[in-house]
Amino acid sequence: MTALWQRQPVGIVGMGLIGGSLGLDLIALGAEVRALVHREATASRARERGLATTVSTDPAVLAGCGLVLLALPLDQLLDPPPSLLAALPPEAVITDVGSVKGPVLTAWRRSLDGSAGRFVASHPMAGTARAGVEAGQAGLFSGRPWVATPGQDTEPAALEAVRQLAEALGARWLVCEAADHDRAVALISHLPVLVSAALLQTADQASAQAAVGLPQLVRALASSGFADTTRVGGGNPELGLWMARWNRQALLEGLRDYRRVLEQLEQLVEEQDWPELQRNLADCQRLRPEFL
Amino acid sequence: MTALWQRQPVGIVGMGLIGGSLGLDLIALGAEVRALVHREATASRARERGLATTVSTDPAVLAGCGLVLLALPLDQLLDPPPSLLAALPPEAVITDVGSVKGPVLTAWRRSLDGSAGRFVASHPMAGTARAGVEAGQAGLFSGRPWVATPGQDTEPAALEAVRQLAEALGARWLVCEAADHDRAVALISHLPVLVSAALLQTADQASAQAAVGLPQLVRALASSGFADTTRVGGGNPELGLWMARWNRQALLEGLRDYRRVLEQLEQLVEEQDWPELQRNLADCQRLRPEFL
């Protein structure tokens, strides 16, 4: 039996990095893709790039879609415009790509009311530093995790339709509780943003206080290690803000745990407990490959 | 007038990443390079790789060198064996490559006693994740900072000889106080190691406490952002230990500053001060390119 995305047109709302990349891959697989965007300039560019079969600023473009992918920024996902809700085909399976799942699940259960079972909260974990209609690229999801966090009321057939789509794009399909997803991304994605941002600010502020010429010196000497460690902290401030805002509780828990761990390391340096510090850093060296 | 490294053989003590790379570049520039290593197996491999003109385990190999580069790990630099000290030609300019400069300057002033003026403390800031006799590569120093931290007693001619060598290898020559160098690298190199190590440990420990399955989930979902932010924390534990041990005071100051900055960020999240958090993250985004 063919998958839902093969039997009926697929709707994509938003043609940014994720929406555009979904469109490119689905077109390449032979799907009919109908894209809804906000501005005519985006529609025009998305058409030129071949990101979808049809691109429109009119929500009616979604009529007839069997599956609709909401590739919107988190703030729009959490507060979908009534015109979008009205245009979603009543039988269509709906999924999203938001980086926090608990609040999305709550918002869309409310928005879809009687037919919330066809909403599948999901998170394809792929990205680049790029954004906007120029950012979409083929193969973005290949080998990357695609996490679904169904609720108790999620229809098995809806979940299966999204799984088939994710696997067709080469993603690794994972299912977990929304709360576990949100705790996990707090630790491996949202906490790193603040840890990294704080490092940038410390290098800036501490050098300015320490000695004349030191701000210039730290800037001249910073190399690949500093570049890597500060990359996510120097990224898009809106993404960082949304993560903190919509995953606040899990992030605060992560920050408290982090503070405790860093204080232990500081204490080892303070007390000059070099054997224990070396053991601790050797643990880190062993630990890191488990995550990558 | 030709540079010292062109007029007389150059000695290199140690054929690891830095020593081997120095040798390759100097040979390519037509210098005569005499390398001293600890083990015969290393000598044999360094000869095969063409890292020096002559490679020996006998300190006498350094006889006749006008300039000797000590490409040794920090612990050996700070406690040089008497056989090495005895073999250094009495008129030769001596420089090192250690990543902390205050303690190196102190140790070598003591070791060279009456002729300390010919010692130039320096730090070519180039590296890769590799180590050992296989790691040396051509062009490692090109475009990278090479910092010298002369004392008041350092002879101008010795400093000039090292500058000419650094610039011949394409490095960017910088001169500053040893204390300023050590404060700068604490902020941009040594602090990031602990910040990054603490992030790895937090993701490991916090997930193990939070929920069944979460340790597996964080490992499955960690992606490029986590990989970048944890790279230096999951590196060679001995390097991390030496940095902490020999730059302890500056590192502790950096840790205290870092803790304060991170607490400010945590407070913004706690108080849900989203406009200020966004402003703060936007500052970071503007700040990062200044360092890279």
Side-chain angles (χ1 to χ4, degrees), chain A residues 188-262:
Chain A
I188 54 112
S189 175
H190 306 171
L191 178 61
V193 170
L194 295 195
V195 160
S196 171
L199 188 60
L200 266 171
Q201 291 180 47
T202 305
D204 176 51
Q205 296 171 15
S207 67
Q209 287 157 14
V212 173
L214 210 63
Q216 290 72 38
L217 196 61
V218 293
R219 283 160 174 77
L221 302 189
S223 66
S224 62
F226 191 77
D228 283 355
T229 320
T230 58
R231 185 174 68 81
V232 298
N236 185 336
E238 286 206 317
L239 293 184
L241 176 68
W242 293 333
M243 289 171 172
R245 182 164 189 170
W246 300 113
N247 204 15
R248 177 170 168 269
Q249 205 48 52
L251 177 60
L252 284 172
E253 281 165 25
L255 277 164
R256 277 190 282 270
D257 289 327
Y258 182 80
R259 189 147 37 92
R260 186 179 46 73
V261 169
L262 191 65

Side-chain angles (χ1 to χ4, degrees), chain A residues 96-121:
Chain A
D96 75 306
V97 303
S99 56
V100 182
K101 299 271 55 98
V104 169
L105 203 49
T106 305
W108 280 83
R109 268 183 182 144
R110 197 184 317 119
S111 295
L112 294 175
D113 198 13
S115 69
R118 64 197 174 101
F119 181 76
V120 178

Side-chain angles (χ1 to χ4, degrees), chain B residues 169-191:
Chain B
L169 303 185
R172 292 189 288 115
W173 181 250
L174 285 156
V175 176
C176 68
E177 296 283 326
D180 286 344
H181 168 278
D182 292 353
R183 279 194 206 110
V185 295
L187 291 171
I188 52 110
S189 174
H190 306 170
L191 178 60

Side-chain angles (χ1 to χ4, degrees), chain A residues 201 228 231 248 270 280, chain B residues 201 228 231 248 270 280:
Chain A
Q201 291 180 47
D228 283 355
R231 185 174 68 81
R248 177 170 168 269
E270 183 72 56
N280 189 303
Chain B
Q201 290 180 48
D228 284 355
R231 185 173 68 80
R248 178 170 167 269
E270 183 73 55
N280 189 303

Side-chain angles (χ1 to χ4, degrees), chain A:
Chain A
M1 172 136 166
T2 53
L4 181 57
W5 66 266
Q6 294 170 303
R7 297 197 306 271
Q8 280 184 262
V10 177
I12 303 181
V13 183
M15 285 274 108
L17 169 68
I18 301 292
S21 300
L22 288 168
L24 279 173
D25 279 359
L26 284 167
I27 294 271
L29 290 169
E32 184 186 339
V33 177
R34 300 182 181 176
L36 172 63
V37 298
H38 194 59
R39 290 181 302 181
E40 188 48 49
T42 310
S44 165
R45 190 65 191 122
R47 279 182 213 112
E48 282 167 18
R49 293 201 61 208
L51 303 181
T53 320
T54 316
V55 189
S56 177
T57 58
D58 179 357
V61 73
L62 299 177
C65 288
L67 180 57
V68 178
L69 300 153
L70 305 165
L72 294 169
L74 200 51
D75 58 340
Q76 292 175 46
L77 264 182
L78 291 170
D79 189 18
S83 61
L84 171 61
L85 292 175
L88 293 171
E91 303 294 318
V93 169
I94 316 288
T95 190
D96 75 306
V97 303
S99 56
V100 182
K101 299 271 55 98
V104 169
L105 203 49
T106 305
W108 280 83
R109 268 183 182 144
R110 197 184 317 119
S111 295
L112 294 175
D113 198 13
S115 69
R118 64 197 174 101
F119 181 76
V120 178
S122 84
H123 181 199
M125 298 193 67
T128 70
R130 305 180 62 213
V133 69
E134 304 299 336
Q137 62 183 61
L140 185 68
F141 309 99
S142 177
R144 305 293 315 145
W146 190 313
V147 190
T149 62
Q152 287 197 331
D153 52 352
T154 306
E155 290 164 15
L159 186 64
E160 177 63 10
V162 179
R163 184 185 69 78
Q164 286 174 329
L165 180 120
E167 293 189 343
L169 303 185
R172 291 188 288 114
W173 180 252
L174 285 158
V175 176
C176 70
E177 297 283 326
D180 285 346
H181 168 279
D182 292 353
R183 279 194 205 110
V185 294
L187 291 171
I188 54 112
S189 175
H190 306 171
L191 178 61
V193 170
L194 295 195
V195 160
S196 171
L199 188 60
L200 266 171
Q201 291 180 47
T202 305
D204 176 51
Q205 296 171 15
S207 67
Q209 287 157 14
V212 173
L214 210 63
Q216 290 72 38
L217 196 61
V218 293
R219 283 160 174 77
L221 302 189
S223 66
S224 62
F226 191 77
D228 283 355
T229 320
T230 58
R231 185 174 68 81
V232 298
N236 185 336
E238 286 206 317
L239 293 184
L241 176 68
W242 293 333
M243 289 171 172
R245 182 164 189 170
W246 300 113
N247 204 15
R248 177 170 168 269
Q249 205 48 52
L251 177 60
L252 284 172
E253 281 165 25
L255 277 164
R256 277 190 282 270
D257 289 327
Y258 182 80
R259 189 147 37 92
R260 186 179 46 73
V261 169
L262 191 65
E263 277 166 13
Q264 285 166 355
L265 281 168
E266 186 174 346
Q267 197 175 347
L268 294 178
V269 179
E270 183 72 56
E271 293 171 355
Q272 309 192 46
D273 188 346
W274 308 129
E276 183 60 23
L277 180 63
Q278 182 162 15
R279 205 186 57 75
N280 189 303
L281 293 174
D283 282 347
C284 289
Q285 192 182 35
R286 272 192 298 274
L287 200 54
R288 185 163 178 269
E290 296 178 11
F291 286 81
L292 304 169

